[in-house]
Amino acid sequence: MTEKLQKTAITPATHTTPPAKFSHGVKKGNVLQVAGQVGFGPAVPGQAPTPVGPTLREQTLQTLRNVQAVLEEGGASWEDAMMVRVYLTDTGHFAEFNEIYNEFFAGLKEAPAARTTVYVGLPAGLLVEIDALAVLG
């Protein structure tokens, strides 16, 4: 009989408790799934999370840092990422997003992962959401 792998919820100290029944990340075996992250700044006790600013640049950089925080809390890095999914609210943001994304990952030898970009509706004030799948080891 095969031993069942344990599932572990991942929540960095910088993140608030999610508004619904989910985790910021879940690790099972050597697989880490990072839930969709947005451009909220670090958690402040007693305050609702808010976007770091109104621009795509501010929100994208914070969103990438938030994904990175979950990866690191789960024992991974961008180099372990296999898939990144990007959700934008405006098709006109695609080129600017790519510039910001490329700048953020300029230090990596190769692209962090395969990537998909789709267009969605997000809560008011949010422009981008990103999730990632990482395989450790």
Side-chain angles (χ1 to χ4, degrees):
M1 183 178 251
T2 309
E3 184 180 328
K4 186 171 177 158
L5 296 173
Q6 179 120 10
K7 212 167 39 167
T8 305
I10 308 293
T11 301
T14 55
H15 287 49
T16 59
T17 301
K21 205 159 176 58
F22 67 88
S23 301
H24 287 288
V26 176
K27 185 175 177 182
K28 187 170 184 177
N30 68 339
V31 176
L32 172 61
Q33 175 65 57
V34 178
Q37 301 294 303
V38 294
F40 290 153
V44 177
Q47 290 185 11
T50 55
V52 292
T55 70
L56 181 65
R57 172 170 285 284
E58 291 168 303
Q59 289 191 29
T60 297
L61 291 172
Q62 184 63 49
T63 300
L64 289 165
R65 287 190 291 265
N66 290 344
V67 171
Q68 184 171 328
V70 178
L71 287 169
E72 290 173 355
E73 186 75 17
S77 72
W78 283 110
E79 309 239 340
D80 298 307
M82 299 296 294
M83 181 67 188
V84 173
R85 284 172 291 269
V86 176
Y87 308 90
L88 296 173
T89 59
D90 186 336
T91 58
H93 288 160
F94 188 74
E96 182 184 359
F97 176 84
N98 280 335
E99 288 176 22
I100 299 163
Y101 189 87
N102 288 340
E103 288 172 23
F104 186 84
F105 292 113
L108 293 183
K109 293 179 190 173
E110 55 188 55
R115 191 182 106 190
T116 298
T117 304
V118 296
Y119 300 96
V120 299
L122 292 173
L126 293 173
L127 304 175
V128 60
E129 181 173 342
I130 300 173
D131 70 51
L133 176 68
V135 177
L136 293 75

